[in-house]
Amino acid sequence: MSTPLNGSLIKAFEILALFDEDRPEASAATVARQLDLNASTAHRFLLTLEHVGALTSVRRGVFGLGPRLEQLGRLAERMNPLPAFVKPLLDDLSREMAESVMVCRLSRLGPVCVAVAESGRPVSVVVKTGTALPFRHTAQGKLWLAFMPEEERSALLQQTAILNGQAPESSDMEKLARELNEIRERGYALNLGDNEPDIAAVAVPVRSGTGEMIMSLSVFGMLSRFDKTFTDRARRRLLEVSDEIGGNFVSKYGKYNAR
Amino acid sequence: MSTPLNGSLIKAFEILALFDEDRPEASAATVARQLDLNASTAHRFLLTLEHVGALTSVRRGVFGLGPRLEQLGRLAERMNPLPAFVKPLLDDLSREMAESVMVCRLSRLGPVCVAVAESGRPVSVVVKTGTALPFRHTAQGKLWLAFMPEEERSALLQQTAILNGQAPESSDMEKLARELNEIRERGYALNLGDNEPDIAAVAVPVRSGTGEMIMSLSVFGMLSRFDKTFTDRARRRLLEVSDEIGGNFVSKYGKYNAR
DNA sequence: ATATAAATCTTATATTTTGAGATTTTAATC
DNA sequence: GATTAAAATCTCAAAATATAAGATTTATAT
């Protein structure tokens, strides 16, 4: 057969997978029970994971996720392969639509552009990779809000308001909630000059195999060029390409939750 | 002696430590050379790390950090032990100063309050953990800006400006640069009503063993109570406690880079 | 004080990991 | 096209380590 894998390492990551919001800490007894390991083996794994910084000792016998994972996680985010994967697809789509196209992942700052193909038109909108878009008033931002869990959306909107130094009006929140409902039903988001007067965008979700939104894919450009014919065509093409990205990226890179 | 550690797992994390900005990808040959491993062993580790999602295959034989690390990193950040560690120290200091005291870590949103001890005064400033402070005009924000690398500061200021929908004036930038220079020379930052008219704060860096800033420690309260005598005393005490936090936290949890 | 459960340590043996060597793949050169 | 060299990948017996049974220590409740 092919190269066998290292069983210890697999077990170690199974241990790391035990931690989540509902289980922020674990003891050797917990690990032993959950993974059907001998207590001594569980204890040794925990001590080793602590030694490498992946876990940290909360108190005697109890461990939580550690700083090394934070560091590696941040490094991994800065280096992920997504941009290289989608760029060729974006280039093709951009040529076809004769507008700029981008893919965004979610960050706490808002949807962050991770890959962009520019239209090459003399007058067009320029967005650089790494740019975070506002959640409110952009197609990408509203799309992410529409498809994220309610508690997360509330927390995020509150954070954004604090940063902007203003409290959201409740009538604004209701209007937004209605709009997000529409987006969920339609399956795409539109911006016709809401954020910047002359800028328009159509955005669709890219989904993982289990249906959750992992990226947004959008066409954007000058408002004057986004008539109904164009936006309908864009929406359809975007949804086709997003299916292609979702399917191929997942099969190539495994389940990839961008959030 | 005590419980022996699992050597395979240690080696796996040594492999993960090979990746950084200057080495975003690695092959089995690279790993074998860097860690003095047999090529087959190196190959097996890489395949196993890919299997668990810690690495991802960029192309045949070449791997980069993978999505599982991103997920674990984000989870770890949400659950780190820092708040529990510093809270008793903050409580003591808050009682001594008769003002509120907090520790912030850096996030892209700004310094985020991870632990706070409130003063218990009838009229005082309330900040909750999880709250992100603005970079501009707060003592904590300016402190972080002062001690972060130039490229990172520029990128961050640009991001913040985009989110706020305004471009920074160049005279503002020069004024800020002078102010950040002062902060670096003094070793602490002050806010006397810059952000909110009635709020004052003194903030100092907490450093790791290698000298980089890993947290900010600050006293904050009503401006009317922050005369020169108080701010001088606060600054001195903060610097003493920050040394204590930096030394103890690092020895307990290892090198902990909050950024 | 006693009892119990869990954390931690010890150590012989069972199991897995290792690495030498074989095979396959790829890229460069002629 | 053929040849060469380096690296990726696979195979399998020997070496090394991981495992787990059992002992000891610790903490908590009564």
Side-chain angles (χ1 to χ4, degrees):
Chain A
M1 294 303 186
S2 60
T3 300
L5 303 180
N6 182 313
S8 277
L9 185 47
I10 290 172
K11 279 207 190 78
F13 273 83
E14 283 170 5
I15 290 170
L16 293 178
L18 291 179
F19 294 83
D20 64 20
E21 244 88 16
D22 298 323
R23 184 164 28 208
E25 12 182 275
S27 64
T30 305
V31 170
R33 202 160 41 235
Q34 295 294 322
L35 298 183
D36 199 31
L37 289 182
N38 174 278
S40 297
T41 302
H43 177 61
R44 184 190 306 100
F45 269 116
L46 291 178
L47 287 197
T48 307
L49 285 164
E50 185 194 15
H51 175 77
V52 299
L55 294 182
T56 186
S57 173
V58 176
R59 60 189 177 273
R60 183 181 134 101
V62 182
F63 299 81
L65 296 179
R68 187 74 185 118
L69 288 181
E70 296 183 35
Q71 291 164 7
L72 287 170
R74 282 195 290 265
L75 190 57
E77 282 182 346
R78 294 201 296 270
M79 286 188 250
N80 90 62
L82 177 59
F85 179 79
V86 297
K87 190 59 162 60
L89 297 175
L90 297 194
D91 287 340
D92 290 347
L93 188 54
S94 173
R95 268 191 299 267
E96 176 185 335
M97 307 299 311
E99 295 288 357
S100 302
V101 177
M102 72 173 154
V103 160
C104 295
R105 288 177 45 197
L106 182 64
S107 80
R108 302 270 315 171
L109 268 185
V112 177
C113 174
V114 296
V116 64
E118 285 166 356
S119 67
R121 290 201 184 215
V123 177
S124 68
V125 186
V126 179
V127 174
K128 293 186 183 177
T129 60
T131 305
L133 307 179
F135 274 114
R136 307 288 293 272
H137 308 307
T138 64
Q140 298 85 355
K142 286 183 290 187
L143 187 77
W144 279 104
L145 288 175
F147 289 104
M148 95 178 30
E150 167 67 34
E151 326 83 69
E152 198 172 327
R153 180 162 64 240
S154 302
L156 211 146
L157 287 175
Q158 189 178 12
Q159 291 276 358
T160 321
I162 288 173
L163 191 65
N164 292 344
Q166 51 176 303
E169 307 266 1
S170 61
S171 62
D172 279 346
M173 299 303 282
E174 284 178 17
K175 182 181 166 190
L176 179 66
R178 276 195 306 271
E179 196 176 2
L180 299 185
N181 259 332
E182 269 188 51
I183 290 169
R184 276 191 293 268
E185 285 169 9
R186 290 187 319 216
Y188 67 96
L190 255 194
N191 166 28
L192 299 174
D194 295 352
N195 187 31
E196 302 277 2
D198 295 323
I199 300 183
V202 185
V204 302
V206 179
R207 297 177 191 279
S208 68
T210 52
E212 74 232 62
M213 183 176 171
I214 56 174
M215 304 172 223
S216 64
L217 172 65
S218 52
V219 171
F220 60 100
M222 305 307 295
L223 176 58
S224 55
R225 302 193 294 241
F226 276 61
D227 59 21
K228 181 150 169 47
T229 303
F230 179 80
T231 55
D232 279 350
R233 185 167 144 249
R235 167 185 29 113
R236 274 190 294 262
R237 284 299 289 133
L238 286 174
L239 285 164
E240 284 166 9
V241 174
S242 91
D243 281 346
E244 191 181 343
I245 293 180
N248 289 345
F249 191 79
V250 169
S251 70
K252 181 155 185 171
Y253 294 108
K255 167 144 181 250
Y256 182 62
N257 184 346
R259 302 154 66 194
Chain B
M1 296 304 185
S2 60
T3 299
L5 303 180
N6 181 314
S8 278
L9 185 47
I10 290 172
K11 278 209 190 74
F13 272 82
E14 283 169 6
I15 289 169
L16 292 177
L18 291 178
F19 295 84
D20 64 20
E21 244 90 14
D22 297 323
R23 182 162 30 205
E25 6 181 282
S27 64
T30 305
V31 170
R33 204 161 38 235
Q34 295 294 322
L35 298 183
D36 199 32
L37 288 182
N38 174 277
S40 298
T41 302
H43 177 62
R44 186 191 295 101
F45 269 116
L46 291 177
L47 288 196
T48 307
L49 285 164
E50 184 193 18
H51 175 77
V52 298
L55 294 182
T56 186
S57 174
V58 176
R59 59 191 179 272
R60 184 181 136 101
V62 181
F63 299 82
L65 296 179
R68 187 74 186 113
L69 288 182
E70 298 184 32
Q71 290 164 8
L72 286 170
R74 283 194 290 266
L75 190 57
E77 283 182 345
R78 296 201 292 271
M79 287 188 246
N80 90 66
L82 176 60
F85 179 79
V86 296
K87 189 62 164 59
L89 296 176
L90 297 194
D91 288 339
D92 290 347
L93 188 53
S94 172
R95 268 192 300 266
E96 176 185 335
M97 307 298 311
E99 295 288 357
S100 303
V101 177
M102 72 174 154
V103 160
C104 296
R105 287 177 45 197
L106 183 63
S107 80
R108 302 268 317 175
L109 267 185
V112 177
C113 174
V114 296
V116 64
E118 285 166 354
S119 68
R121 290 198 184 218
V123 177
S124 67
V125 186
V126 178
V127 174
K128 293 186 181 177
T129 60
T131 304
L133 307 179
F135 274 112
R136 308 289 291 274
H137 309 308
T138 65
Q140 297 85 357
K142 286 182 290 187
L143 188 76
W144 279 104
L145 289 175
F147 288 104
M148 97 180 26
E150 168 68 35
E151 327 83 69
E152 199 171 328
R153 178 161 67 239
S154 301
L156 211 145
L157 287 176
Q158 187 175 18
Q159 291 275 1
T160 321
I162 288 173
L163 192 64
N164 291 344
Q166 51 176 299
E169 306 267 4
S170 61
S171 61
D172 279 347
M173 299 303 281
E174 284 177 16
K175 183 181 162 186
L176 179 66
R178 277 197 303 271
E179 196 176 3
L180 300 186
N181 259 331
E182 270 187 49
I183 290 169
R184 278 193 291 270
E185 285 168 9
R186 290 188 317 216
Y188 67 97
L190 255 193
N191 166 27
L192 299 174
D194 295 352
N195 186 30
E196 302 277 2
D198 295 323
I199 298 182
V202 185
V204 301
V206 179
R207 297 177 190 278
S208 68
T210 53
E212 74 234 60
M213 183 176 171
I214 57 175
M215 305 171 222
S216 63
L217 172 66
S218 52
V219 169
F220 61 99
M222 304 308 294
L223 177 58
S224 55
R225 301 193 294 240
F226 275 61
D227 59 17
K228 182 151 167 45
T229 303
F230 180 81
T231 53
D232 280 349
R233 183 167 143 246
R235 165 179 38 106
R236 273 190 295 261
R237 283 300 289 134
L238 287 174
L239 285 164
E240 284 167 8
V241 175
S242 89
D243 281 347
E244 190 180 344
I245 292 180
N248 290 345
F249 190 78
V250 169
S251 69
K252 182 156 185 167
Y253 294 107
K255 170 151 179 239
Y256 183 60
N257 185 348
R259 305 152 68 194

